[in-house]
Amino acid sequence: MAGKISILSLLIEASFVVQLVMLILLAMSVMSWTMIFRRRKALSDAVTEAKKFEDKFWSGIDLSKLYNEVSARTNNHGLETLFKSGFKEFARLHKTNSRQPAAVMEGTQRAMRVGLSREVERLEMHLPFLATVGSISPYIGLFGTVWGIMNSFIALGAVEQATLSMVAPGIAEALIATAIGLFAAIPAVIAYNKFSHQVESLESSYANFVEEFANILHRQAVSSSGDAA
Protein backbone atom coordinates (compact mmCIF):
# COMPACT_ATOMS: atom_id res chain seq x y z
CA MET A 1 0.00 0.00 0.00
CA ALA A 2 2.87 2.36 0.87
CA GLY A 3 4.41 1.73 -2.53
CA LYS A 4 1.32 3.09 -4.23
CA ILE A 5 1.52 6.44 -2.46
CA SER A 6 3.19 9.19 -4.49
CA ILE A 7 3.51 12.92 -3.97
CA LEU A 8 1.55 13.63 -7.16
CA SER A 9 -1.35 11.41 -6.10
CA LEU A 10 -1.36 13.02 -2.67
CA LEU A 11 -1.56 16.48 -4.22
CA ILE A 12 -4.39 15.47 -6.54
CA GLU A 13 -6.40 13.64 -3.89
CA ALA A 14 -5.86 16.21 -1.14
CA SER A 15 -8.85 18.00 0.33
CA PHE A 16 -9.93 21.31 -1.20
CA VAL A 17 -8.63 23.37 1.73
CA VAL A 18 -5.20 21.72 1.63
CA GLN A 19 -5.01 22.16 -2.14
CA LEU A 20 -5.95 25.83 -1.74
CA VAL A 21 -3.20 26.26 0.86
CA MET A 22 -0.68 24.65 -1.47
CA LEU A 23 -1.71 26.87 -4.39
CA ILE A 24 -1.40 30.00 -2.24
CA LEU A 25 2.05 28.96 -1.06
CA LEU A 26 3.21 28.13 -4.59
CA ALA A 27 1.95 31.50 -5.84
CA MET A 28 3.76 33.27 -3.01
CA SER A 29 6.93 31.33 -3.79
CA VAL A 30 6.82 32.26 -7.48
CA MET A 31 6.24 35.93 -6.67
CA SER A 32 8.98 35.81 -4.06
CA TRP A 33 11.56 34.41 -6.49
CA THR A 34 10.55 36.97 -9.11
CA MET A 35 11.15 39.81 -6.67
CA ILE A 36 14.38 38.23 -5.45
CA PHE A 37 15.85 38.29 -8.95
CA ARG A 38 14.63 41.85 -9.53
CA ARG A 39 16.03 43.17 -6.24
CA ARG A 40 19.31 41.36 -6.80
CA LYS A 41 19.77 43.07 -10.17
CA ALA A 42 18.60 46.47 -8.89
CA LEU A 43 20.95 46.46 -5.90
CA SER A 44 23.85 45.17 -7.96
CA ASP A 45 23.29 47.98 -10.48
CA ALA A 46 23.05 50.51 -7.64
CA VAL A 47 26.44 49.46 -6.25
CA THR A 48 28.05 49.64 -9.69
CA GLU A 49 26.52 53.04 -10.47
CA ALA A 50 27.56 54.45 -7.08
CA LYS A 51 31.17 53.38 -7.54
CA LYS A 52 31.25 54.73 -11.09
CA PHE A 53 29.84 58.11 -10.07
CA GLU A 54 32.13 58.44 -7.06
CA ASP A 55 35.17 57.79 -9.25
CA LYS A 56 34.08 60.55 -11.61
CA PHE A 57 33.12 62.93 -8.80
CA TRP A 58 36.48 62.63 -7.03
CA SER A 59 38.46 62.75 -10.28
CA GLY A 60 38.61 66.55 -10.04
CA ILE A 61 35.97 67.25 -12.68
CA ASP A 62 34.32 70.66 -12.56
CA LEU A 63 31.04 70.37 -10.64
CA SER A 64 29.13 72.50 -13.15
CA LYS A 65 30.27 70.26 -15.98
CA LEU A 66 29.35 67.15 -14.01
CA TYR A 67 25.93 68.64 -13.25
CA ASN A 68 25.32 69.28 -16.95
CA GLU A 69 26.27 65.68 -17.76
CA VAL A 70 23.96 64.30 -15.09
CA SER A 71 21.09 66.61 -16.05
CA ALA A 72 21.37 65.50 -19.67
CA ARG A 73 20.24 62.04 -18.57
CA THR A 74 16.63 61.57 -17.52
CA ASN A 75 17.00 58.27 -15.64
CA ASN A 76 19.17 59.38 -12.74
CA HIS A 77 19.48 57.09 -9.73
CA GLY A 78 21.48 56.88 -6.54
CA LEU A 79 24.33 59.34 -6.10
CA GLU A 80 23.49 61.06 -9.37
CA THR A 81 20.08 62.00 -7.99
CA LEU A 82 21.57 63.29 -4.73
CA PHE A 83 24.22 65.29 -6.54
CA LYS A 84 21.73 66.73 -9.00
CA SER A 85 19.20 67.77 -6.36
CA GLY A 86 21.89 69.21 -4.08
CA PHE A 87 23.75 71.18 -6.74
CA LYS A 88 20.54 72.47 -8.32
CA GLU A 89 19.22 73.74 -4.98
CA PHE A 90 22.62 75.20 -4.07
CA ALA A 91 22.83 77.13 -7.35
CA ARG A 92 19.28 78.43 -6.98
CA LEU A 93 19.70 79.59 -3.40
CA HIS A 94 23.18 80.97 -3.96
CA LYS A 95 21.86 83.45 -6.50
CA THR A 96 19.46 85.02 -4.00
CA ASN A 97 21.34 84.45 -0.71
CA SER A 98 24.98 84.73 -1.66
CA ARG A 99 25.80 86.56 1.60
CA GLN A 100 23.99 84.03 3.80
CA PRO A 101 25.88 80.71 3.44
CA ALA A 102 24.01 79.18 6.38
CA ALA A 103 20.63 79.67 4.67
CA VAL A 104 22.02 78.35 1.39
CA MET A 105 23.41 75.21 3.00
CA GLU A 106 20.26 74.59 5.04
CA GLY A 107 18.14 74.46 1.90
CA THR A 108 20.74 72.43 0.01
CA GLN A 109 21.03 69.80 2.73
CA ARG A 110 17.25 69.62 3.02
CA ALA A 111 16.97 68.90 -0.70
CA MET A 112 19.62 66.17 -0.49
CA ARG A 113 17.97 64.58 2.57
CA VAL A 114 14.69 64.36 0.67
CA GLY A 115 16.53 62.79 -2.26
CA LEU A 116 18.27 60.34 0.07
CA SER A 117 14.96 59.28 1.60
CA ARG A 118 13.45 58.64 -1.83
CA GLU A 119 16.47 56.64 -2.99
CA VAL A 120 16.34 54.44 0.11
CA GLU A 121 12.63 53.84 -0.50
CA ARG A 122 13.44 52.81 -4.07
CA LEU A 123 16.14 50.41 -2.87
CA GLU A 124 13.79 48.87 -0.29
CA MET A 125 11.07 48.17 -2.86
CA HIS A 126 9.64 44.62 -2.52
CA LEU A 127 11.60 43.93 0.68
CA PRO A 128 8.46 44.14 2.86
CA PHE A 129 6.83 41.50 0.66
CA LEU A 130 9.80 39.17 1.11
CA ALA A 131 9.63 39.72 4.86
CA THR A 132 5.90 38.92 4.81
CA VAL A 133 6.42 35.72 2.80
CA GLY A 134 9.21 34.64 5.10
CA SER A 135 7.14 35.19 8.23
CA ILE A 136 3.68 33.90 7.28
CA SER A 137 4.41 31.04 4.84
CA PRO A 138 5.26 28.50 7.58
CA TYR A 139 2.03 29.38 9.38
CA ILE A 140 -0.05 29.01 6.22
CA GLY A 141 1.61 25.63 5.64
CA LEU A 142 0.98 24.70 9.27
CA PHE A 143 -2.70 25.56 8.83
CA GLY A 144 -2.87 23.14 5.89
CA THR A 145 -1.12 20.49 7.98
CA VAL A 146 -3.50 20.88 10.91
CA TRP A 147 -6.50 20.77 8.59
CA GLY A 148 -5.28 17.65 6.83
CA ILE A 149 -4.52 15.81 10.07
CA MET A 150 -7.87 16.88 11.51
CA ASN A 151 -9.70 15.43 8.50
CA SER A 152 -7.70 12.21 8.82
CA PHE A 153 -8.71 11.72 12.45
CA ILE A 154 -12.33 12.60 11.69
CA ALA A 155 -12.40 9.92 8.99
CA LEU A 156 -10.61 7.55 11.36
CA GLY A 157 -13.34 7.99 13.94
CA ALA A 158 -16.00 6.83 11.47
CA VAL A 159 -14.56 3.29 11.13
CA GLU A 160 -14.55 0.46 13.64
CA GLN A 161 -11.01 -0.74 13.01
CA ALA A 162 -8.30 1.81 12.20
CA THR A 163 -5.16 0.93 10.27
CA LEU A 164 -2.04 2.89 9.39
CA SER A 165 -2.84 2.69 5.68
CA MET A 166 -6.07 4.57 6.30
CA VAL A 167 -4.51 7.55 8.05
CA ALA A 168 -1.16 7.69 6.26
CA PRO A 169 -2.31 9.50 3.05
CA GLY A 170 -4.07 12.26 4.98
CA ILE A 171 -1.08 12.87 7.24
CA ALA A 172 1.30 12.74 4.28
CA GLU A 173 -0.66 15.35 2.30
CA ALA A 174 -0.79 17.51 5.40
CA LEU A 175 2.98 17.37 5.83
CA ILE A 176 3.44 18.35 2.18
CA ALA A 177 1.70 21.63 2.98
CA THR A 178 4.25 22.30 5.71
CA ALA A 179 7.11 21.43 3.35
CA ILE A 180 5.82 23.85 0.69
CA GLY A 181 5.45 26.54 3.34
CA LEU A 182 9.10 26.13 4.34
CA PHE A 183 10.13 26.04 0.67
CA ALA A 184 8.49 29.45 0.20
CA ALA A 185 9.72 30.95 3.47
CA ILE A 186 13.41 29.99 3.61
CA PRO A 187 14.59 31.69 0.37
CA ALA A 188 12.51 34.77 1.19
CA VAL A 189 14.10 35.13 4.63
CA ILE A 190 17.63 34.61 3.29
CA ALA A 191 17.05 37.13 0.48
CA TYR A 192 15.48 39.67 2.83
CA ASN A 193 18.41 39.55 5.24
CA LYS A 194 20.96 39.81 2.44
CA PHE A 195 19.18 42.65 0.64
CA SER A 196 18.55 44.56 3.87
CA HIS A 197 22.28 44.49 4.59
CA GLN A 198 23.03 45.74 1.07
CA VAL A 199 20.48 48.55 1.41
CA GLU A 200 21.99 49.60 4.74
CA SER A 201 25.45 49.64 3.17
CA LEU A 202 24.24 51.72 0.23
CA GLU A 203 22.34 54.08 2.51
CA SER A 204 25.50 54.63 4.57
CA SER A 205 27.47 55.27 1.38
CA TYR A 206 24.85 57.75 0.15
CA ALA A 207 24.76 59.55 3.52
CA ASN A 208 28.56 59.87 3.56
CA PHE A 209 28.48 61.33 0.07
CA VAL A 210 25.82 63.84 1.10
CA GLU A 211 27.99 65.02 4.00
CA GLU A 212 31.14 65.26 1.90
CA PHE A 213 29.35 67.06 -0.93
CA ALA A 214 27.73 69.43 1.56
CA ASN A 215 31.18 70.30 2.95
CA ILE A 216 32.44 71.12 -0.55
CA LEU A 217 29.43 73.32 -1.26
CA HIS A 218 29.74 74.98 2.15
CA ARG A 219 33.32 75.99 1.40
CA GLN A 220 32.19 77.47 -1.91
CA ALA A 221 29.33 79.34 -0.22
CA VAL A 222 31.63 80.78 2.46
CA SER A 223 34.24 81.74 -0.12
CA SER A 224 31.66 83.45 -2.31
CA SER A 225 30.22 85.24 0.71
CA GLY A 226 33.66 86.58 1.62
CA ASP A 227 34.31 87.76 -1.92
CA ALA A 228 30.93 89.51 -2.06
CA ALA A 229 31.64 91.28 1.22
Side-chain angles (χ1 to χ4, degrees):
M1 187 70 182
K4 297 181 181 179
I5 298 178
S6 66
I7 295 178
L8 181 60
S9 64
L10 290 174
L11 294 175
I12 295 175
E13 297 173 4
S15 64
F16 172 76
V17 173
V18 176
Q19 287 182 337
L20 181 61
V21 167
M22 292 177 181
L23 288 175
I24 291 173
L25 290 172
L26 287 175
M28 292 174 66
S29 180
V30 171
M31 293 175 64
S32 175
W33 277 106
T34 301
M35 293 179 183
I36 286 173
F37 287 121
R38 288 182 178 178
R39 280 300 88 197
R40 180 182 179 184
K41 184 179 185 306
L43 293 175
S44 177
D45 291 344
V47 172
T48 301
E49 291 170 359
K51 186 177 185 304
K52 182 179 179 180
F53 181 81
E54 279 192 317
D55 290 341
K56 180 176 288 188
F57 180 83
W58 295 112
S59 65
I61 187 174
D62 181 73
L63 295 183
S64 297
K65 180 180 179 181
L66 181 59
Y67 174 76
N68 292 332
E69 291 181 6
V70 172
S71 299
R73 296 190 292 271
T74 57
N75 57 337
N76 302 126
H77 296 298
L79 294 184
E80 286 189 349
T81 299
L82 301 180
F83 170 79
K84 181 180 178 180
S85 60
F87 192 86
K88 180 179 180 181
E89 188 68 9
F90 175 80
R92 187 183 69 83
L93 293 174
H94 192 260
K95 289 181 179 179
T96 57
N97 300 279
S98 59
R99 296 190 179 185
Q100 298 178 353
V104 173
M105 291 311 304
E106 182 180 353
T108 300
Q109 289 178 318
R110 188 185 305 114
M112 288 193 289
R113 283 196 298 268
V114 172
L116 175 61
S117 178
R118 290 175 178 171
E119 285 302 305
V120 172
E121 287 180 3
R122 185 180 66 85
L123 293 174
E124 291 178 339
M125 189 181 301
H126 303 318
L127 292 190
F129 178 81
L130 293 178
T132 301
V133 171
S135 61
I136 70 172
S137 291
Y139 295 103
I140 296 176
L142 182 61
F143 170 77
T145 298
V146 172
W147 187 272
I149 293 176
M150 180 183 68
N151 284 341
S152 296
F153 279 104
I154 290 175
L156 202 61
V159 298
E160 295 182 358
Q161 185 175 1
T163 62
L164 182 62
S165 60
M166 295 176 61
V167 72
I171 295 177
E173 75 180 35
L175 294 177
I176 291 176
T178 298
I180 296 177
L182 294 175
F183 176 79
I186 292 173
V189 171
I190 294 174
Y192 174 79
N193 291 334
K194 179 181 178 180
F195 295 157
S196 295
H197 177 72
Q198 289 181 321
V199 169
E200 289 177 2
S201 179
L202 281 168
E203 182 179 2
S204 177
S205 176
Y206 289 176
N208 290 337
F209 173 81
V210 167
E211 292 298 323
E212 292 169 342
F213 185 40
N215 289 335
I216 294 174
L217 295 178
H218 183 261
R219 287 195 294 269
Q220 290 188 7
V222 171
S223 176
S224 300
S225 176
D227 293 341

